[in-house]
Structure formats: structure tokens, C-alpha cells
Amino acid sequence: MVKHIVTFKLNGTPEERAHIARAFKDALMALPGQIDVLRSMEVGINSNPAETWDVVLTAVVPTMADVEVYAKHPAHVAAAAILGSHKEARACVDYEF
């Protein structure tokens, strides 16, 4: 199995960032029912005002090749598009467990 962990830093006002983060989370949480290789999805929105990263997601897929299947799936592409111009930075770690 592979854990795909991604964190995002958004730009905009705090209200805009919160709105985008909630919409992104809602879209991501719908993905396990739409993408066969996606075993689970967890999404967290930062609630610590002292930190600067806004959203983290943890997805689990069977193999490293399935990370690409997940990433290219139209439902995932649509979810990622929600961030639009609000995505300031992205960091990712994929590891087998």
C-alpha cells in the first residue's frame, strides 16, 4: 500500500482561504466512491492560526503506479481545480507501508 500525503498553502484573505479549503475538502472526500484505486481519503484543514499551511490530505492506494491513476482521474483533476489561483505552494510525500 502507498500513502500519498499532500499539503497546500493557499493565498487570499483568511475568509477566502477557509472557503476554498472547505470546498476542496468536500470534493476530495467524495473521491473514494469515484476512483476505484482509492482505498481511503482523509483531509484536514488547519485550525492553528500560528501555522501557515492550510490543508493536508492523506490518500491510500495499493501501489505507487496507482498514485498516477488517482492523480489523472477526471474526478481528482476537477477537485484539484477548485484550488485554482489560490494555491501558493504544494508539498508531497508518497511512501509504501
Side-chain angles (χ1 to χ4, degrees), residues 19-38:
H19 174 75
I20 294 296
R22 283 191 304 273
F24 185 48
K25 178 180 180 175
D26 290 346
L28 290 173
M29 293 305 296
L31 294 180
Q34 300 174 51
I35 303 175
D36 291 339
V37 299
L38 188 56

Side-chain angles (χ1 to χ4, degrees), residues 8 16 26-27 34 56-57 65 73 77 89 94:
F8 296 92
E16 289 171 331
D26 290 346
Q34 300 174 51
V56 64
L57 72 87
H73 191 282
V77 172
D94 294 317

Side-chain angles (χ1 to χ4, degrees), residues 2 41 50 52 57 60 63-64 70:
V2 175
M41 173 67 73
T52 60
L57 72 87
V60 175
T63 69
M64 198 61 75
Y70 156 78

Side-chain angles (χ1 to χ4, degrees), residues 22-92:
R22 283 191 304 273
F24 185 48
K25 178 180 180 175
D26 290 346
L28 290 173
M29 293 305 296
L31 294 180
Q34 300 174 51
I35 303 175
D36 291 339
V37 299
L38 188 56
R39 298 296 180 256
S40 68
M41 173 67 73
E42 181 179 347
V43 181
I45 297 174
N46 183 33
S47 56
N48 182 348
E51 297 297 334
T52 60
W53 290 81
D54 296 287
V55 180
V56 64
L57 72 87
T58 302
V60 175
V61 297
T63 69
M64 198 61 75
D66 290 325
V67 174
E68 187 171 347
V69 172
Y70 156 78
K72 291 183 176 181
H73 191 282
H76 173 264
V77 172
I82 290 169
L83 297 180
S85 62
H86 288 281
K87 182 172 66 176
E88 181 176 316
R90 175 188 179 274
C92 178

